[in-house]
Structures are given as C-alpha cells and as structure tokens.
C-alpha cells in the first residue's frame, strides 16, 4: 500500500497533466480567443455567429458525461483513496441563480471566462489579461465582503 504523501504526489501529477491537457485543448479550439467566444455568443447577429465552439463543447460533453455516470457516481473514492464526492446540497437558492447570471454577464462582456483567462496569462498581450485578473480578484473579495456582511447582519437580527 502506498503512503498518503505518495498518493498526494501522484494526485498532483495527474492534476497537473489534466490541467495541461485542458489548457492545450482550449488553445487548439481557440476558446482562449475572446473574439471567437464573442462571435459564438452573437447568436442573433446576422452573419456574425460562429458555431464552432458548440462542437467543442459537444465533444467535451460526449466524452465526459458517460465517464461521469460510470466513474463519479459509482465510486465513493478514487483509486488513490481520495473522496469522489458530489455536493450534498440539492436545493436551489439565490446564490445558485445569481452567481451564474453574473458569470454569464461577465463572460459576455469580456468574452473570456476564468479557465481561458488563466491560459491567456502566457500570451504576448498581457495588459488586458492583467486587467481581467484584477477584476476577477476584486470580484472574489467583493463577494467575500458581501457574504461576511450578510452573515453578520443575520447574527445581529437573530434573537
């Protein structure tokens, strides 16, 4: 039996390999190109819509969905002994609705979401990416502030 530190090292290596593969796939499919993404999101603009990313996403779903059904849902632990859990929460609340709406608005305005944004860090034109990273970090801290303020007010109002 391998030690826990060995399993952790192997897990990090696998995660690194998967991240590199994912990043390479985004570069090859041009999902890191904001113009390509904005053209995909321009469904109602006559002659500007570019459906190629639909095929990229369809291919990813076709590969991942069966694996998800066969592996994640059937195995409580990975082969290295790490939990393969799904979120326990099944109810729909305002955070689950509003979060994706804000994410979608940001994606539509900027033409980039977090994964391609981080891949673009290695790009030549770094200034727009640095602005994007600053906005991403600012949004995370704004959410943390909002969440703490909401929790504080809920405690204050509790009898």
């Amino acid at each position: 039996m391998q030690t826990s530190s060995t399993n952790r090292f192997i897990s990090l290596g696998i995660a690194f390999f998967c991240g590199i593969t994912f990043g390479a796939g985004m570069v090859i499919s041009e999902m890191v190109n904001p113009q390509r993404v904005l053209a995909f999101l321009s469904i109602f603009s006559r002659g500007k819509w570019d459906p190629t990313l639909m095929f990229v996403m369809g291919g990813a779903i076709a590969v991942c969905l069966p694996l998800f059904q066969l592996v994640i849902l059937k195995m409580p632990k990975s082969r290295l002994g790490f939990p393969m859990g799904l979120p326990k929460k099944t109810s729909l609340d305002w955070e689950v609705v509003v979060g994706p709406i804000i994410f979608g608005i940001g994606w539509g305005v900027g033409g980039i979401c977090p994964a391609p944004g981080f891949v673009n860090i290695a790009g030549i034109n770094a200034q727009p990416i640095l602005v994007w990273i600053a906005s991403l970090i600012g949004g995370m801290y704004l959410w943390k502030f909002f969440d703490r303020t909401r929790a504080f007010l809920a405690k204050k109002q509790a009898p």
Side-chain angles (χ1 to χ4, degrees), residues 66 99 152:
F152 174 77

Side-chain angles (χ1 to χ4, degrees), residues 36-148:
R36 171 80 66 168
V37 174
L38 290 173
F40 172 71
L41 295 174
S42 301
I43 294 173
F44 301 111
S45 297
R46 201 166 260 193
K48 291 185 179 181
W49 185 55
D50 182 0
T52 55
L53 294 185
M54 182 172 54
F55 296 107
V56 173
M57 289 186 272
I61 292 169
V63 169
C64 292
L65 187 61
L67 290 174
F68 179 81
Q69 296 294 323
L70 292 171
V71 177
I72 302 290
L73 297 179
K74 306 280 189 230
M75 293 176 61
K77 289 189 174 189
S78 72
R79 299 216 185 256
L80 296 175
F82 294 106
M84 303 259 292
L86 294 172
K88 305 288 185 233
K89 186 177 179 181
T90 58
S91 63
L92 190 66
D93 60 8
W94 71 272
E95 293 169 339
V96 174
V97 175
V98 173
I101 290 171
I102 293 171
F103 177 88
I105 291 169
W107 189 33
V109 168
I112 197 160
C113 70
F118 286 114
V119 171
N120 279 337
I121 290 173
I124 296 170
N125 190 3
Q127 185 178 2
I129 298 304
L130 293 176
V131 170
W132 174 83
I133 290 172
S135 301
L136 179 73
I137 292 170
M140 289 189 297
Y141 278 104
L142 186 62
W143 169 252
K144 187 181 278 189
F145 172 77
F146 174 74
D147 196 40
R148 286 183 180 171

